[in-house]
Amino acid sequence: LADPMEASIEPSTQEMIRRAQQLNIETVFDRAVTMKPCAIGLQGICCKNCAMGPCRLPLPKDGIQGEDTRKGLCGATANTICARNFARMIAAGAAAHSDHGRNVALTFLEAAKGTTKDYKIKDPAKLIQIAPYFGVATTVEEDGVVKDRDLQEIALAVAKKAVNEWGKPSGTLDYLKRAPQPLQDKWIEEGVMPRNVDREIVEIMHRTHMGVDQDYKNLMKQGTRASLADGWGGSMIGTDLQDVMFGTPSPLQAEANLGVMKEDHVNIIVHGHEPLLSEMIVAAAQSQELISYAKEKGAKGIQLGGICCTANEILQRHGVPPAGTFLQQELAIITGACDAMIVDVQCIFQNLANVAKCFHTKLITTHPIAKMEQDNVIHIEFDEHHAMEDAVRIVKMAIDNYANRGAEVIIPRHKTTQIAGFGVESIKYHLGGAFRGDYYTLNDNIINGRIRGIAGVVGCNNARTKHNEEHITLIKELIKNDVIVLTTGCSAIAAGIHGLLTPESAAVHCGPGLAEVCETVGIPPVLHLGSCVDNSRILLAATEVVKAGGLGNDICDLPAAGSAPEWMSEKAISIGQYFVASGVYTVFGYHMPLDGAPEFKNYLYKEMEKIFGGKWDCEPDPIKHAHKMIAHIDKKRAELGIDK
Ligand code: NFS
């Protein structure tokens, strides 16, 4: 069994691991003790792409290929195998983000056509802002007079263009032109401009099939192209259209951690990624009718909470508190107070069903592509044509289940307050100039040295590392050194849980320069920018910084760095690659599956910088990790002539 103190730095997590062990319920933390990773897979050199294998190549010693130079049966070298595996991770990650984006675009098309009543245009300003990138006009000329074009007409034109981005037969993705021009030039020169989202993912699967692409550099070219189709395509379109339909986030206050669950309330946890359903659940749970129904059933009200990126989506737009990170999903049920957990796609443990079986919890799957085989799981397929009806049915089911709770409900007391809901627009509002709609104040403070640089800290938790330790140690070290942090995903949830998302934390944890800026402007030193598809907001924020001037001409000129200290998902690899290909020095924690192919690893860690201005790195120690990022920031400051 796992030692709770070794598994997490977070007290409610430790408490719930102990509680699970008392009840003889296995969690991810225990499985991490009994299941050891495969040594060859860990190095990235196991090839199982054909039935002559799996070919498990010999491990190099101290990063050098030794005397044992056996290859795969087809002759595949360590570089080829490692690059194929890496590219396939990008394909899976880009597919997950982009399929989410596609579903959003398809729903937006229905909303624009008026064939669904539950989804509407909530943020017309955002629609008008993005329309030109799709080549959609926002004004019309009638009798020589320029007038605003009908909103529904703009929406329909944008929706059709957006949906087309997944499969258009010619050209390249429309959103690529949002990147700084020098970056676009690099992509064109390197031949990595994505043509359409689906094609780049399919082409990875083709090129990594047995006997196709056998040049690791060429394989990575396609990996890059698919990752860009994710970051500057599927994810970015997903984020934008979600903003149009559900509202662009703006800063708000909320709570975080398992302690947000309430013993005397109906507790509903939404877990997964696509906000299409969870938006409806929020609306249903806040309706007077269902609150009254909950009271009739003996509860004081309905408490919603989120896990993973669905949590971030509804936190950013509605202030619904996240109940936990990726690694706390089983623990939310182990409280005994979770009346329903509703899941859609991605990052959902199969073991949730086994845990739910030990309690009264209704576990509800909602997505046609993500079902569970266990018989205690209920499948209510969500359909955008009757979205609200589905949501009401689910919330009612949770309320009806309130009476079935067992005697022992133990909810950890821990919860924190946080400010979330930042985005490109709100950073502009807080850190823009008084008369200039750009990032003037931010740039000015970077140039004068109060802010040393910008870090993006994102990504998952990983049961192979101590839950939240790397995130929190790293972020604290960065802000102590006056580096402002933009965060998303489970990293953002972790930062919220550990109290780093408050303006007050600036005085406690920041260096004097960053503290002064945060206190003057009234923002936290760590800004929550949303879910993992919202990493596209970080790309656009970086682009705004470039545009505001004084810090070079391209993202790679900025004193900035990226990090995913506890990554585990294939989505993180796609994100890492699009950051690298956008010019960002990107450091991952834990481990990278590259050690078996030192030459390929060197290509990612060194050579790539010559092509895109960004490169990969890996550092498991969070303090050293922070200082690698800071050293890069200082190098960029020196190149810009602003080091002091
Ligand atoms: Ni991102 Fe979000 Fe969390 Fe990792 Fe999973 S929830 S999409 S993949 S674990 S950060």
Side-chain angles (χ1 to χ4, degrees):
L1 292 183
D3 173 351
M5 302 302 282
E6 284 303 307
S8 176
I9 58 163
E10 197 282 301
S12 72
T13 303
Q14 296 163 351
E15 187 183 334
M16 282 294 108
I17 295 173
R18 243 176 255 122
R19 174 76 184 141
Q21 292 174 347
Q22 271 168 15
L23 297 171
N24 263 326
I25 300 172
E26 187 194 79
T27 65
V28 58
F29 301 100
D30 303 316
R31 290 189 293 278
V33 174
T34 50
M35 171 65 69
K36 289 286 163 230
C38 155
I40 295 178
L42 205 57
Q43 318 290 326
I45 45 172
C46 171
C47 182
K48 52 182 178 55
N49 295 8
C50 91
M52 298 193 290
C55 295
R56 304 164 77 235
L57 261 53
L59 298 177
K61 283 205 178 62
D62 304 323
I64 299 161
Q65 216 81 45
E67 279 171 18
D68 186 349
T69 54
R70 276 178 299 161
K71 299 182 177 62
L73 263 64
C74 66
T77 62
N79 288 330
T80 303
I81 292 172
C82 200
R84 278 180 184 159
N85 289 338
F86 199 74
R88 282 200 170 194
M89 291 178 87
I90 294 174
H97 286 142
S98 297
D99 220 24
H100 165 169
R102 180 207 317 272
N103 287 334
V104 172
L106 289 171
T107 303
F108 181 62
L109 179 61
E110 301 262 7
K113 281 199 236 160
T115 44
T116 162
K117 60 180 185 332
D118 297 331
Y119 299 94
K120 303 214 162 57
I121 297 161
K122 204 165 172 185
D123 191 343
K126 183 94 182 202
L127 176 63
I128 287 163
Q129 185 214 325
I130 63 170
Y133 298 116
F134 289 110
V136 171
T138 54
T139 52
V140 278
E141 209 184 303
E142 268 171 35
D143 306 328
V145 187
V146 179
K147 289 189 195 155
D148 287 345
R149 194 175 170 194
D150 175 68
L151 207 62
Q152 211 64 27
E153 219 178 279
I154 300 172
L156 190 59
V158 166
K160 284 181 178 164
K161 285 279 204 163
V163 168
N164 202 33
E165 290 297 273
W166 273 262
K168 65 184 179 191
S170 59
T172 52
L173 291 181
D174 285 343
Y175 267 10
L176 299 170
K177 54 180 170 292
R178 301 180 76 170
Q181 191 59 48
L183 183 55
Q184 292 180 48
D185 295 342
K186 282 177 204 154
W187 293 338
I188 293 167
E189 198 190 321
E190 188 57 14
V192 296
M193 294 282 276
R195 295 155 293 184
N196 70 53
V197 176
D198 286 350
R199 180 171 182 181
E200 306 312 349
I201 295 164
V202 168
E203 195 170 307
I204 287 188
M205 297 314 284
H206 180 187
R207 283 164 74 157
T208 57
H209 179 277
M210 192 270 145
V212 188
D213 205 345
Q214 300 161 24
D215 170 354
Y216 68 90
K217 291 183 186 169
N218 206 41
L219 277 159
M220 264 322 287
K221 211 177 240 191
Q222 185 55 23
T224 299
R225 186 148 59 167
S227 75
L228 292 172
D230 173 355
W232 295 88
S235 282
M236 198 176 276
I237 299 171
T239 293
D240 277 352
L241 296 182
Q242 285 172 185
D243 283 356
V244 173
M245 282 194 286
F246 308 135
T248 302
S250 61
L252 44 73
Q253 187 174 321
E255 295 181 320
N257 211 354
L258 289 168
V260 305
M261 297 172 76
K262 294 195 182 117
E263 188 159 357
D264 52 8
H265 279 55
V266 174
N267 290 298
I268 301 177
I269 303 280
V270 288
H271 171 21
H273 285 77
E274 293 179 4
L276 294 171
L277 172 65
S278 51
E279 275 286 326
M280 296 296 127
I281 301 269
V282 174
Q286 288 174 349
S287 75
Q288 265 320 314
E289 196 192 327
L290 287 177
I291 294 171
S292 306
Y293 185 61
K295 287 182 179 162
E296 267 170 46
K297 297 284 172 178
K300 289 217 169 111
I302 303 171
Q303 178 63 50
L304 271 179
I307 304 264
C308 284
C309 281
T310 281
N312 289 323
E313 299 281 4
I314 55 178
L315 164 69
Q316 295 292 90
R317 298 194 180 89
H318 303 285
V320 172
T325 64
F326 170 69
L327 284 182
Q328 287 169 292
Q329 53 184 289
E330 292 161 305
L331 309 182
I333 300 179
I334 289 164
T335 59
C338 178
D339 301 303
M341 183 179 274
I342 301 136
V343 302
D344 51 49
V345 288
Q346 303 168 23
C347 302
I348 294 148
F349 288 169
Q350 181 156 8
N351 196 53
L352 282 183
N354 303 329
V355 178
K357 215 174 245 175
C358 307
F359 297 90
H360 76 303
T361 306
K362 295 249 186 266
L363 181 60
I364 304 166
T365 54
T366 55
H367 210 291
I369 70 162
K371 295 188 177 181
M372 292 185 180
E373 62 177 349
Q374 292 96 324
D375 53 15
N376 60 322
V377 181
I378 305 159
H379 186 73
I380 299 180
E381 199 150 304
F382 167 71
D383 182 327
E384 63 273 14
H385 297 105
H386 39 78
M388 198 58 198
E389 258 170 70
D390 293 336
V392 168
R393 187 172 155 214
I394 289 168
V395 172
K396 270 200 173 142
M397 196 178 261
I399 297 171
D400 289 333
N401 199 27
Y402 177 71
N404 299 330
R405 276 196 203 164
E408 290 233 56
V409 168
I410 295 184
I411 301 172
R413 304 228 161 277
H414 307 272
K415 63 176 171 182
T416 45
T417 300
Q418 60 171 337
I419 306 293
F422 286 89
V424 179
E425 297 81 358
S426 49
I427 297 178
K428 199 177 276 184
Y429 175 76
H430 287 281
L431 288 168
F435 303 105
R436 312 168 58 153
D438 57 21
Y439 276 35
Y440 174 75
T441 307
L442 177 60
N443 283 33
D444 197 36
N445 279 297
I446 294 173
I447 293 164
N448 69 29
R450 278 197 198 94
I451 297 176
R452 191 164 179 172
I454 307 169
V457 182
V458 308
C460 328
N461 294 111
N462 183 325
R464 299 285 173 209
T465 68
K466 196 172 192 171
H467 174 235
N468 288 357
E469 183 174 58
E470 279 74 7
H471 286 299
I472 301 310
T473 314
L474 171 75
I475 293 175
K476 281 186 180 165
E477 190 65 16
L478 289 169
I479 59 179
K480 187 174 119 190
N481 285 283
D482 293 319
V483 175
I484 192 168
V485 173
L486 310 181
T487 182
T488 60
C490 289
S491 185
I493 301 178
I497 285 175
H498 292 272
L500 296 176
L501 300 185
T502 60
E504 297 73 37
S505 70
V508 184
H509 298 292
C510 290
L514 181 58
E516 192 186 330
V517 174
C518 290
E519 277 158 24
T520 312
V521 191
I523 54 165
V526 184
L527 303 179
H528 190 326
L529 264 73
S531 67
C532 289
V533 292
D534 293 338
N535 281 318
S536 58
R537 297 191 204 273
I538 300 184
L539 294 175
L540 292 176
T543 305
E544 289 295 326
V545 175
V546 172
K547 273 198 230 155
L551 293 171
N553 303 317
D554 197 354
I555 294 176
C556 66
D557 298 331
L558 302 177
S563 164
E566 301 181 29
W567 79 281
M568 63 86 207
S569 149
E570 291 165 314
K571 290 180 281 178
I573 296 292
S574 180
I575 293 166
Q577 183 58 34
Y578 72 63
F579 270 103
V580 166
S582 300
V584 180
Y585 171 57
T586 303
V587 191
F588 271 34
Y590 174 52
H591 168 88
M592 290 288 282
L594 301 169
D595 290 347
E599 201 178 315
F600 174 58
K601 182 173 160 181
N602 184 62
Y603 182 63
L604 296 182
Y605 284 29
K606 293 212 171 79
E607 300 294 307
M608 209 142 250
E609 194 173 27
K610 295 177 197 147
I611 309 170
F612 301 113
K615 62 179 177 181
W616 283 90
D617 205 345
C618 179
E619 177 52 63
D621 179 291
I623 297 287
K624 286 188 197 153
H625 189 129
H627 284 282
K628 280 187 157 187
M629 295 168 75
I630 293 165
H632 178 82
I633 285 169
D634 287 349
K635 188 179 98 188
K636 292 293 166 183
R637 292 188 66 89
E639 283 169 15
L640 289 164
I642 54 169
D643 58 319
K644 19 178 152 157

